[in-house]
Amino acid sequence: MGNKLAKHTKMKQKKRIAIIGSTGSIGRQALDVISQHEDILSAEVLTANSSWEELVRQALKFKPNCVVIANKDYYSDVKQALKDTDTKVFAGSESINDVVQLDCVDVVLTAVVGFAGLRPTVKAIESGKTIALSNKETLVVGGEYISRLALEKRVAVLPVDSEHSAVFQCINGEYDNKIKTIYLTASGGPFRQMSREQMREVTLAQALKHPNWSMGPKVTIDSASMMNKGLEMIEARWLFGVEPKDIKAVVHPQSIIHSMVEFEDGSLKAQLGVPDMRLPIQYALTYPERLPNNSKPFNPFEQSMLTFEKADTERFPCLRLAYYAAEKGGNLPAIMNAANEVAVQAFLEEKIRFTQIADIIEKAMSSFCFVQNAGLEDYFATDRQVREELQKQL
Ligand code: MN3
């Protein structure tokens, strides 16, 4: 009974959410989660890059305290559309760094894609906000800095990425028990069974067709190249304090087991569910509570087989590059990440072949200036330099 009472009191306090990147795939699914739990969750800040019409629709529905449209060209459109509401309108990506610090915000969900997520995450942690981390590039590039800052500010960084949410759920209640191995599961993407030769000829449409998950274009291409698992390995390293050599990618084509943790006694824990991002999003937003929702649960009677394969770093060189970057540290993950972002964008614009993504990253990692003791500003400088240089070439 004591438990029930505690729960009731906790539920009374609404968690006020800022969604950085509310019009993207994760942002829209997060709003779906919020709309199912309006008694305990509210959207206070919404931000978008250029999708201003969607941002306006969301603002009219969720009545946030404020919105930010990063692309200033659309400021007057948004302002005009929301003139009869109480929602404040700001423009420019600098404004995102301000709104994450507002008093009306408890949790910042970083649903923006790429390196752009780093600065707002730093600002949010500095002002003591709980982080629901969906932007993996933040930890890939600035993991060491972010972990130290979060510890210093006593800020919780709750994973939204499904694999990391799985690990987080597996270690809850394990106190000081050491993690021996993390098995990050990977679907293998659309080219799981192709040779490197065959991958040379794949089209953009084929690469965008993920077998199990519905995600934005950047992460879908990263999944096809398996750079996504590489980025996630680095993300896991910082979230859970586990060495890269103890984090293993395992291909699990059904995407039902979202990751596994092995403990020192040889026991493994896994978290299972249908591939639906709303589950890890909800867990991060309502943690430590589990609440009912309208997602379809996994039914073991409908799935006769769960299979596992070794991830092949010969056919998927991005995975090998990510382990190398993690091992070297410094600004090498930043070089790798920036090169990947530029290469993926070039592939999305059909300027390069799929297999060139890995080639471009590998070349960048061996040619750009390596800084071992890199700080936050080095990451920004590296990111800018790699982007500028590669964009000239592509
Ligand atoms: Mn993931």
Side-chain angles (χ1 to χ4, degrees), residues 248-278:
K248 293 174 183 156
V250 54
V251 176
H252 166 52
Q254 297 82 20
S255 295
I256 295 298
I257 293 182
H258 299 310
S259 277
M260 299 181 269
V261 176
E262 182 189 12
F263 296 94
E264 293 200 285
D265 60 356
S267 180
L268 273 86
K269 278 184 171 179
Q271 186 263 337
L272 288 73
V274 293
D276 181 342
M277 280 310 296
R278 289 174 302 175

Side-chain angles (χ1 to χ4, degrees), residues 136 160-164 185 213 215 219 223 228-229 232 235 258 277:
K136 59 194 80 177
V160 168
D161 210 342
S162 61
E163 295 79 358
H164 306 77
T185 51
W213 291 96
M215 306 177 291
V219 57
S223 293
N228 186 48
K229 219 42 59 181
E232 290 181 349
E235 184 186 7
H258 299 310
M277 280 310 296

Side-chain angles (χ1 to χ4, degrees), residues 313-328:
T313 53
E314 293 295 316
R315 289 185 300 124
F316 295 97
C318 287
L319 197 52
R320 170 175 53 82
L321 295 173
Y323 275 94
Y324 182 71
E327 198 188 301
K328 284 285 207 182

Side-chain angles (χ1 to χ4, degrees), residues 115 118 122 136-149 234 238 330 333-334 374-376 379:
F115 180 78
L118 182 56
V122 169
K136 59 194 80 177
E137 293 88 346
T138 295
L139 287 188
V140 168
V141 175
E144 197 168 4
Y145 180 88
I146 294 278
S147 333
R148 213 180 322 116
L149 186 66
I234 303 178
W238 297 118
L376 189 61
Y379 302 139

Side-chain angles (χ1 to χ4, degrees), residues 288-304:
E289 297 190 52
R290 293 189 184 273
L291 301 175
N293 56 37
N294 63 19
S295 295
K296 182 176 158 265
F298 171 61
N299 180 351
F301 299 114
E302 286 172 7
Q303 181 95 36
S304 61

